[in-house]
C-alpha cells in the first residue's frame, strides 16, 4: 500500500529529472517524469539489491530498456546508494562523467546491468538475464537452499516494443515460460514523431498473450500507485509466464507540455521547471533537491537490501557446508574463473589427419570442452545441424512442461532470431555466471549487428559461432555468402574475429576466445573441408598471426591468408617455388590480436622489404593495412558448387601464383613501403 | 472449385521439385512439395500476370518469402511461361545458371519480384509492394479507371515468422490496413532444428490479429485444395486489412520422410523419389516430367494473363485520352525516368551563407525536390524531427480512416523499425514506380543491414538518409555514435555512401544518388552545423572525390577528408601553412564513385610523390587504400558536447597539424608509395 512518503518520493523524482536534463541542456525529461511512479514502486518495494555489494549474484536485476530515460536510472541509483553522487547527476552527459547520455554497463557505475539506448536491446537482454537466472537456479539450488531466486524487472517504452529484436526475444521468453521476468510498459502514447496513432496501433498485450505472456493493464499510471504495486505483486505470483504490465502514463507528467512530444527529448526550460516544482509542492528555488524524508526512506530501503544480502550470505555458508563441491563450483563461476584442464582438453591434429570443415572441428572442441565448462550455454538460430553447435549429451534449456529439456539444460533453441539471440546472449553474460554463445551462418551476423555492437561496447564475453563463412558454402549463393561481413567485424572496436585455418587453429581460437573475458569473439568457420596444415598450432592463435611456413633465407614474398585460404596460400607457395619465387606463408586467424602484439613480434612475421600478398575469399576492404596487394572478392558471390566458385573468383593457386609473381616483379629493384612503420 | 487437372498439376509440382533438387544434389525439396497446393492455387486461379510483359505494372506480385524453397518458384515460373526453361531447372544451383540457390531479383529471370532466402525479408518486402500499390492506385486511378488494383501474394514459412524484420513490417502493414496483401503461411511445424515445438510455440494468428490483420486457418493444406482457394477468395474480400492464411501442411508431402526435418534441406534420394512418383501416379522412370494436360492447362492460364494485359492496355489507352497529363506522368514513372528540372531545383550555396547541419541541408533539398519528384516516397524510423526528412507540405501515407493522411500521401511513419523500414523500401522500389527512402541515425543502419545488403544485391534504388553521423552528435554518447559503420557500407558491393561536407555537396549527393538507378545510396549527414566551403560544388560529387583547395606548385601533403571533417582539413591546412607546409585539401564524399573514375582523374586528385593524410571522425579501417596515415577514432565514442569530443578524440586542427607535419617529415627525402599504382 502506498504511503505519503511514496508520493513524496515519486514527486522528488519528477522534479529532480528535469533539473538533471536542464543542467546538461540536453537529454530526455519526459519519460523519467512519466515513469517515476513505476520506478519508485520497483526500487522501493521490490528490487532486492545491495549497492555496497553490487555484483551480488542473487540481486534482482533492473533494466531500463528505454535508455534515453537514463536520468531516471541515475536518479534511482543515486537514491538507492549506488556510486552516483548528486555531483554526478549534475555532470549528466558531460565529458568523462559517470552519467553519460545513455546507460553504459561495465563502465564503472554499479547497478547498470546492461547498456541501453539502442531501442529494443534492454528488454531482449532481460530475457537473457532471466534465462541465466533460471539456469543458475536449476543448476545450483537444492532443497531448502534457494540460492538463486532473483527477478528481472524491465521498464520499456513504445520504441522498444516496435523493434524486431524485442519481438524475437519476447517470443522466446514466452516459449521458455520465464516467470521471473516482469516488464513494465510505459504506455505514454508518445514517440518522437508524435502520437503513437501515427504508426503503432497494434494491441500490444494481445501480441504478448500470443507469445504466452501474462498481461495486465493499469489505466492511470500517473496516479494509481497502488495499482502498479498490486500488478507487480500479481505478476510475481505467475510463475510459468513472463509478465507485461501495460501502464498508461503521461509523458512529462506535470510539465505544461505534458502528454506531448515536446517533453520527450529536450529540456523543459527553467520556467516550466518552476511550474513543475510548484505543482508538486516543491520550492522552485531548490535545484537538485531531495527531501530529508526521502533520503531517510531510501536509506531504509538500502538497509533492507543489506539485510537480504547478509541473509543470503548466511544461507550460502550453510549451503557450502552441505554441498562443498557445488559451492566451490558456484564460487568459481561467479568469479569468472575458467576451470582447470581446459587447454589440455582441446583436440590437436597433425597433417596426417583427414581434412575436416572448421565447423566440424568446432563441434569437436565443443564436445571436449562442454563437459568441463559448465558455464558454457548457448545454441543456434535454428541452424543446429549446419552450425554443429550441439555437443554430445547436450540437454536443451526448456521448461519441464515441454518434455524437451529442463532449465538445467544448456542448449538454447533460439529459433530463426539472430538479433534476439545476440541480445539474449548479452543478457546471459550480464547475469555474471555464464559464457554464452550464439550461432548462425556468418552472413547473418548482420541481422544481429545491433546487439553484437553492444557486446563489444559493454565488454560482454559472447562467443559468436558463425559457420558457412564464405563462397565456400557453395550453392546457397550470394544471399548467403559473406563479402563485407568480416570487414564489419574488424572495423568494430573491442571484438575479436577468428578465422581458423584448420583443427589446431580452431582449438586455439576457442582457447583464446575463452581467455578473453572482457570482449566478444566471433568464430568464423567453414562449411567445406580443410586439410590440417604443417606448422599450424593451437598456441599461436593468441598472437593473431604467425609464420606457418617459411623458406630458407629471405622470402621474395609473404602470402598472408586466413581460414580456408591458408591452405590455398600453401599451395600457391608451391606453385611459386616452381617459378623460383620463395614464399613465406603467414596464417592470420585474428587480425585484432596481431595488431596488439609488440612491434618486434609483428616485424618478425612481416619482415621489412618483402612484399605481402593477402588472400581471403571476401572483400579486400582494409587489407591495405598489411598487404601490398590483395586477392579477394569485391562483388557479391554466386550460386554453384564451392569448387566452381573458387575457380570463378580467381581463388585457386594456379590463378593466384601469376598475380603473386606480378607483385614480386612490381617491386623488383625497389623496396616496398613497410606497412609496419608509421609516421605517428 | 478444384478439378482433376488441379490435382494433376499439384502432383506434377510435387514430383518435379524433388527431381530439380536431386539433379543439383543440393537444395530444399520439402517446402516445395508441401507448398505445391497453395502455389498451384495462387498461380492457376489468382495471380494475374503476363510473362511476355513481365514488368507490366499492374501484375499481381508473388513473393516466395521462404526463398530456400525456390525450386518451387522456378517450377511455377517455368509452368507459367516465364524465361525459365526445363533445361534451366536442370541447371539448378549451378554456375551461371538462371536458377541459383535462392531467388535473385533483377538478375535476368522474370517473375522474381524480390530476392529472398535471408528469412523475413520477402514478407517485409511484400509490405512495401503493397504500400507502393496502394499509393500508385490512390495517385493514378480515376473513376472508371482502376489502372492499379493488383494484389501482393506471399508464401512464407515458420522461419520468416520468427524474424524480427517480419514482426516490424507486419505491424506496419496492419496499421496501414493494406487489404491487398495476402500471406499464405506454410505451417508445416518443421524448422531446421526439428519440430517448431522446440522454440516457436506462439499463436501466430493471434499475433497477427493484434497487428490488425485478418486471419484464417486451413487445417489440412495437403488435401483441402478447395479450402485454400476459398480462403484466398475470402481474403480478397477483406479490403481494409491484410490477410494471413495459416495452412497446415506436411513438409515433403509424399516422401517416406514427410513431416520430418530430413526432407527440408537435402535431396530425397533416388529411391524415395521413385516412391513419391509412384504415390502420385507418375511413372518413376520419367524425370523432369510435366504431363501434356498440365502444360495445356498452364497455357490457358497464360492466355488469360495475356487477355488481362491486353484489357489493361485498352483501359490505359482510354485513360490516356481522358487524362493525358496523368498518363504521361504515369508512363514516365514506370519507365523510371527522372523528371526534368531536378538539377536546376537543387539549392546551391556560397561560403557567405551561414553554417548549417547537413541534415538540415538535406531537408532543404527535400523541400525543393519533393514537389517535382512525385515518385519520392519515404519517411523515418520515428526520428522525423531529428532526421528532418519531412518536407514542407508533405502528406502522410495513411489509411483515410485514421484521419492522419491518405494513400496518396508520400510520407511514411515507419515507427522505430529500422530493419522493417529498409525491407519495406526494397519492396516499394521493386514495385517499379517509386524511389523510396528511409531515415534513421546512421548508427542504426546496422539494425537494418540485412535488408540494406539486399538493396545492393538486388539493385534497388533506395535512399538511406542517415543523420547524426559521428561523435558530432554529442551527448547521446557511444551507443549512438557510429565508428565502424561507414566501413560496413564501404565494404559492401554495389552501394554508394555519400558523406557531404556542406550545402553544395549535399545537393550533389542527392543528385548523384537519384541518378544512380541500379544501386542504393546512403546519405550520411551531420547533426552539427558545418560551414559552406570555398571550392565545394554540386557537380563534382559525382566524381566521388575532388580537389577542394590547392596550393601553388606541388603540395607537401594531401589532406583527404569527408563530411564534417573537410572543414577541419581546411583549417588544418591553414595551421600547416604557418609551418610552411603546403597542403592540398581533397573532399572525398563518395569513396565508391571515386574508385570508379579513370586512372588519370584519380592521379589528378592524388598526385604521385605526395603523402596523403586522411581525416574522418570514425574508424580508420580501410583508409590505407588511399592514405599514408589516418586520423580517426578506433575506439567507441563518448558522451559529451560535440566540441569536447572532437577535442578528446584529437580531431581539431591544432592536434592534427603536428601529426600532418610528422607525416611530411616521415617522407622527407623519400617517395611515399603511390597508392594509385598497383601490381595487378
Amino acid at each position: 500500500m502506498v504511503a505519503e512518503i511514496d508520493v513524496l518520493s515519486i514527486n522528488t523524482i519528477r522534479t529532480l529529472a528535469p533539473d538533471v536534463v536542464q543542467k546538461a541542456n540536453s537529454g530526455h525529461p519526459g519519460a523519467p517524469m512519466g515513469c517515476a511512479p513505476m520506478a519508485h514502486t520497483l526500487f522501493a518495494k521490490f528490487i532486492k539489491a545491495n549497492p555496497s555489494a553490487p555484483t551480488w549474484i542473487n540481486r534482482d536485476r533492473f533494466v531500463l530498456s528505454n535508455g534515453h530515460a537514463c536520468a531516471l536510472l541515475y536518479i534511482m541509483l543515486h537514491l538507492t546508494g549506488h556510486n552516483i553522487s548528486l555531483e554526478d547527476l549534475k555532470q549528466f552527459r558531460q565529458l568523462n562523467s559517470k552519467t553519460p547520455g545513455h546507460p553504459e554497463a561495465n563502465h564503472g557505475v554499479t547497478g547498470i546491468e546492461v547498456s541501453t539506448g539502442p531501442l529494443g536491446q534492454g528488454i531482449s537482454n532481460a530475457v537473457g538475464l532471466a534465462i541465466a537466472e533460471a539456469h543458475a537456479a536449476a543448476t545450483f539450488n537444492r532443497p531448502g537452499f534457494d540460492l538463486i531466486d532473483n527477478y528481472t524487472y524491465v521498464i520499456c517504452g513504445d520504441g522498444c516494443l516496435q523493434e524486431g529484436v524485442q519481438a524475437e526475444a519476447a517470443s522466446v521468453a514466452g516459449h521458455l515460460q520465464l516467470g521471473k521476468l516482469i516488464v513494465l510498459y510505459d504506455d505514454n502514447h508518445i514517440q518522437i514523431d508524435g502520437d503513437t496513432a501515427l504508426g503503432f496501433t497494434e494491441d500490444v498485450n494481445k501480441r504478448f498473450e500470443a507469445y504466452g505472456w501474462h498481461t495486465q493493464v493499469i489505466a492511470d499510471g500517473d496516479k494509481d500507485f497502488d495499482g502498479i504495486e498490486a500488478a507487480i505483486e500479481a505478476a510475481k505470483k505467475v510463475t510459468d509466464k513472463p509478465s507485461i504490465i501495460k501502464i498508461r502514463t503521461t509523458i512529462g507528467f506535470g510539465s505544461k507540455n505534458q502528454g506531448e512530444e515536446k517533453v520527450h527529448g529536450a529540456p523543459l526550460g527553467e520556467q516550466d521547471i518552476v511550474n513543475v516544482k510548484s505543482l508538486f509542492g516543491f520550492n522552485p528555488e531548490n535545484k537538485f533537491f531531495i527531501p530529508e524524508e526521502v533520503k531517510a526512506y531510501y536509506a531504509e530501503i538500502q538497509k533492507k537490501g543489506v539485510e537480504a544480502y547478509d541473509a543470503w550470505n548466511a544461507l550460502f555458508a550453510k549451503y557450502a557446508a552441505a554441498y562443498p563441491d557445488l559451492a566451490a563450483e558456484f564460487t568459481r563461476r561467479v568469479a569468472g574463473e575458467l576451470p582447470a584442464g581446459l587447454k589440455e582438453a582441446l583436440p590437436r591434429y597433425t597433417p596426417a589427419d583427414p581434412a575436416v570443415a572448421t565447423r566440424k572441428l568446432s563441434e569437436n572442441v565443443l564436445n571436449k570442452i562442454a563437459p568441463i565448462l559448465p558455464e558454457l550455454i548457448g545454441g543456434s538460430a535454428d541452424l543446429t545441424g549446419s552450425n554443429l553447435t550441439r555437443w554430445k549429451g547436450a540437454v536443451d534449456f526448456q521448461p519441464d512442461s515441454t518434455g524437451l529439456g529442463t532449465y538445467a539444460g544448456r542448449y538454447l533453441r533460439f529459433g530463426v532470431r539472430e538479433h534476439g539471440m545476440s541480445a539474449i546472449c548479452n543478457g546471459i553474460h550480464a547475469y555474471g555466471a555464464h559464457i554464452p554463445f550464439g550461432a548462425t551462418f556468418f552472413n547473418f551476423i548482420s541481422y544481429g549487428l545491433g546487439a553484437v555492437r553492444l557486446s563489444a561496447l559493454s565488454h560482454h564475453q559472447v562467443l559468436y559461432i558463425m559457420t558457412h563463412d564464405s563462397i565456400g558454402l557453395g550453392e546457397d549463393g550470394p544471399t548467403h555468402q559473406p563479402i563485407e561481413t568480416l570487414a564489419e567485424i574488424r572495423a568494430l572496436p573491442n571484438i575479436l574475429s577468428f578465422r581458423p585455418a584448420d583443427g589446431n587453429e580452431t582449438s586455439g581460437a576457442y582457447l583464446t576466445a575463452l581467455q578473453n573475458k572482457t570482449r566478444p569473439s566471433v568464430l568464423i568457420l567453414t562449411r567445406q573441408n580443410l586439410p590440417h596444415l604443417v606448422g599450424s598450432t593451437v598456441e599461436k592463435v593468441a598472437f593473431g598471426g604467425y609464420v606457418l611456413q617459411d623458406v630458407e633465407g629471405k622470402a621474395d614474398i609473404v602470402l598472408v591468408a586466413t581460414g580456408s585460404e591458408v591452405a590455398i596460400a600453401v599451395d600457391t607457395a608451391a606453385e611459386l617455388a616452381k617459378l623460383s619465387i620463395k614464399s613465406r606463408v603467414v596464417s592470420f586467424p585474428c587480425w585484432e590480436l596481431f595488431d596488439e602484439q609488440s612491434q618486434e613480434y609483428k616485424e618478425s612475421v612481416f619482415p621489412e622489404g618483402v612484399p605481402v600478398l593477402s588472400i581471403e575469399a571476401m572483400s579486400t576492404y582494409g587489407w591495405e593495412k598489411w598487404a601490398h596487394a590483395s586477392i579477394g572478392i569485391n562483388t557479391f558471390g554466386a550460386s554453384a558448387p564451392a569448387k566452381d566458385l573458387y575457380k570463378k573468383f580467381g581463388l585457386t593457386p594456379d590463378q593466384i601464383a601469376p598475380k603473386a609473381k606480378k607483385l614480386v616483379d612490381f617491386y623488383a629493384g625497389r623496396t616496398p613501403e613497410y606497412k609496419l612503420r608509421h609516421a605517428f
Side-chain angles (χ1 to χ4, degrees), chain A:
Chain A
M1 279 295 293
V2 169
E4 214 172 299
I5 184 65
D6 293 308
V7 179
L8 184 66
S9 299
I10 289 166
N11 289 339
T12 299
I13 300 164
R14 282 169 168 163
T15 52
L16 199 46
D19 275 349
V20 170
V21 174
Q22 192 69 39
K23 177 82 164 56
N25 197 26
S26 169
H28 303 75
M33 295 169 78
C35 293
M38 61 183 98
H40 168 75
T41 306
L42 277 177
F43 277 83
K45 318 223 164 178
F46 292 98
I47 292 175
K48 176 190 65 183
N50 177 9
S52 52
T55 60
W56 173 29
I57 192 73
N58 198 38
R59 71 191 181 278
D60 288 333
R61 305 308 197 272
F62 173 72
V63 174
L64 184 79
S65 194
N66 47 345
H68 57 271
C70 58
L72 176 67
L73 178 60
Y74 299 145
I75 288 169
M76 299 316 298
L77 294 179
H78 171 67
L79 288 173
T80 50
H82 282 271
N83 60 351
I84 288 186
S85 67
L86 209 58
E87 187 53 38
D88 292 325
L89 291 180
K90 292 177 184 169
Q91 290 302 311
F92 184 51
R93 293 184 153 230
Q94 303 308 303
L95 194 63
N96 302 324
S97 81
K98 290 166 87 175
T99 47
H102 292 87
E104 298 168 23
N106 298 320
H107 280 70
V109 177
T110 65
I112 297 178
E113 306 290 353
V114 290
S115 299
T116 55
L119 292 171
Q121 298 294 335
I123 185 172
S124 307
N125 298 157
V127 175
L129 286 164
I131 288 172
E133 185 277 336
H135 177 262
T139 305
F140 290 107
N141 288 358
R142 289 293 179 272
F145 293 100
D146 281 347
L147 219 54
I148 299 292
D149 63 357
N150 70 276
Y151 285 83
T152 301
Y153 297 104
V154 178
I155 291 179
C156 80
D158 304 296
C160 288
L161 294 177
Q162 292 170 49
E163 290 285 6
V165 59
Q166 158 272 150
E168 294 176 10
S171 183
V172 168
H175 169 77
L176 292 177
Q177 305 174 16
L178 300 171
K180 285 197 168 131
L181 172 62
I182 298 174
V183 175
L184 280 63
Y185 161 32
D186 174 29
D187 177 30
N188 63 26
H189 285 218
I190 291 295
Q191 54 190 94
I192 290 181
D193 269 19
D195 196 289
T196 50
L198 284 171
F200 184 55
T201 48
E202 63 176 54
D203 182 338
V204 170
N205 275 16
K206 185 170 182 176
R207 172 160 68 87
F208 275 77
E209 283 159 21
Y211 296 143
W213 286 53
H214 176 254
T215 68
Q216 297 176 78
V217 175
I218 302 293
D220 184 356
D222 298 326
K223 295 182 190 142
D224 185 8
F225 308 149
D226 281 329
I228 294 172
E229 187 176 335
I232 299 170
E233 283 293 0
K236 287 181 72 172
K237 292 204 178 88
V238 179
T239 58
D240 61 348
K241 288 181 175 189
S243 270
I244 186 166
I245 307 168
K246 179 166 137 171
I247 305 176
R248 183 72 177 92
T249 68
T250 302
I251 190 170
F253 185 73
S255 159
K256 69 176 160 48
N257 294 317
Q258 69 174 28
E260 294 180 31
E261 196 284 313
K262 286 178 196 162
V263 300
H264 166 80
L268 298 188
E270 294 290 359
Q271 189 50 53
D272 192 21
I273 290 179
V274 166
N275 296 338
V276 168
K277 288 182 181 167
S278 303
L279 180 72
F280 291 121
F282 281 61
N283 182 349
E285 308 265 302
N286 288 337
K287 292 193 177 177
F288 290 90
F289 179 70
I290 304 170
E292 289 305 318
E293 308 93 294
V294 173
K295 288 184 193 167
Y297 186 41
Y298 269 91
E300 276 305 308
I301 292 160
Q302 213 177 320
K303 212 171 122 191
K304 278 187 211 157
V306 173
E307 285 164 13
Y309 176 70
D310 290 344
W312 186 88
N313 275 318
L315 181 76
F316 186 75
K318 285 185 201 164
Y319 178 87
Y323 305 100
D325 291 352
L326 261 181
E329 172 65 7
F330 183 88
T331 303
R332 179 189 72 76
R333 292 272 295 273
V334 170
E337 284 163 12
L338 289 176
L342 200 61
K343 188 174 170 185
E344 295 69 24
L346 292 169
R348 288 170 189 261
Y349 305 85
T350 74
D353 291 314
V356 191
T358 49
R359 63 172 170 151
K360 180 78 186 161
L361 295 161
S362 158
E363 186 185 36
N364 293 353
V365 172
L366 290 172
N367 281 335
K368 291 290 185 187
I369 67 172
I372 57 172
L373 192 69
E375 57 265 54
L376 193 72
I377 179 170
S380 160
D382 192 41
L383 286 169
T384 295
S386 298
N387 300 144
L388 302 176
T389 38
R390 198 164 190 274
W391 60 93
K392 273 182 214 152
V395 174
D396 274 16
F397 177 87
Q398 297 273 7
D400 287 338
S401 68
T402 61
L404 298 167
T406 78
Y407 278 161
R410 293 153 53 200
Y411 195 74
L412 288 159
R413 302 293 187 168
F414 288 111
V416 193
R417 304 178 180 105
E418 299 80 6
H419 200 175
M421 172 174 75
S422 307
I424 288 170
C425 284
N426 285 339
I428 293 175
H429 182 263
Y431 188 78
H434 300 85
I435 301 173
F437 73 85
T440 183
F441 290 163
F442 185 40
N443 187 55
F444 297 115
I445 199 170
S446 295
Y447 269 45
L449 217 53
V452 174
R453 185 176 211 270
L454 290 173
S455 307
L457 177 60
S458 308
H459 301 272
H460 293 309
Q461 186 185 23
V462 175
L463 270 53
Y464 292 98
I465 303 177
M466 300 285 127
T467 72
H468 295 60
D469 72 341
S470 75
I471 54 161
L473 65 84
E475 291 89 342
D476 272 348
T479 54
H480 285 55
Q481 289 161 354
I483 296 295
E484 76 288 3
T485 320
L486 193 41
E488 280 169 18
I489 304 300
R490 286 179 179 151
L492 185 64
N494 200 44
I495 188 166
L496 302 178
S497 62
F498 295 94
R499 195 162 181 254
D502 70 355
N504 291 330
E505 287 196 6
T506 303
S507 291
Y510 270 94
L511 181 64
T512 313
L514 289 169
Q515 288 169 338
N516 273 270
K517 307 285 298 173
T518 60
R519 45 186 169 179
S521 291
V522 187
L523 297 148
I524 303 163
L525 307 166
T526 66
R527 174 179 187 250
Q528 75 273 26
N529 289 342
L530 304 181
H532 297 280
L533 300 166
V534 176
S536 87
T537 86
V538 172
E539 284 72 17
K540 287 188 181 166
V541 172
F543 294 89
Y546 63 97
V547 180
L548 180 88
Q549 174 181 304
D550 210 357
V551 285
E552 288 213 13
K554 194 180 169 193
D556 300 310
I557 187 170
V558 174
L559 305 175
V560 57
T562 73
S564 40
E565 285 69 71
V566 179
I568 293 171
V570 169
D571 291 347
T572 302
E575 288 290 316
L576 288 171
K578 293 179 198 162
L579 306 172
S580 302
I581 294 173
K582 296 196 291 182
S583 318
R584 166 182 284 195
V585 178
V586 169
S587 184
F588 212 62
C590 182
W591 180 311
E592 299 87 354
L593 285 174
F594 185 78
D595 213 8
E596 292 174 6
Q597 301 308 309
S598 68
Q599 181 70 12
E600 188 186 0
Y601 179 76
K602 285 192 257 193
E603 291 184 5
S604 78
V605 174
F606 293 119
E608 184 161 10
V610 184
V612 178
L613 178 69
S614 73
I615 310 170
E616 192 171 62
M618 41 194 79
S619 174
T620 61
Y621 188 89
W623 267 108
E624 293 88 355
K625 181 180 172 95
W626 309 110
H628 299 88
S630 297
I631 305 281
I633 307 172
N634 290 315
T635 63
F636 287 106
S639 170
K643 278 192 180 169
D644 294 350
L645 293 177
Y646 269 84
K647 198 170 164 190
K648 173 187 168 76
F649 287 104
L651 283 152
T652 53
D654 62 306
Q655 293 179 90
I656 297 169
K659 290 190 173 171
K661 183 173 185 314
K662 276 191 189 170
L663 182 62
V664 172
D665 293 346
F666 184 70
Y667 284 112
R670 299 191 296 135
T671 304
E673 181 136 335
Y674 197 32
K675 298 279 182 179
L676 298 179
R677 190 167 298 129
H678 306 291
F680 55 83

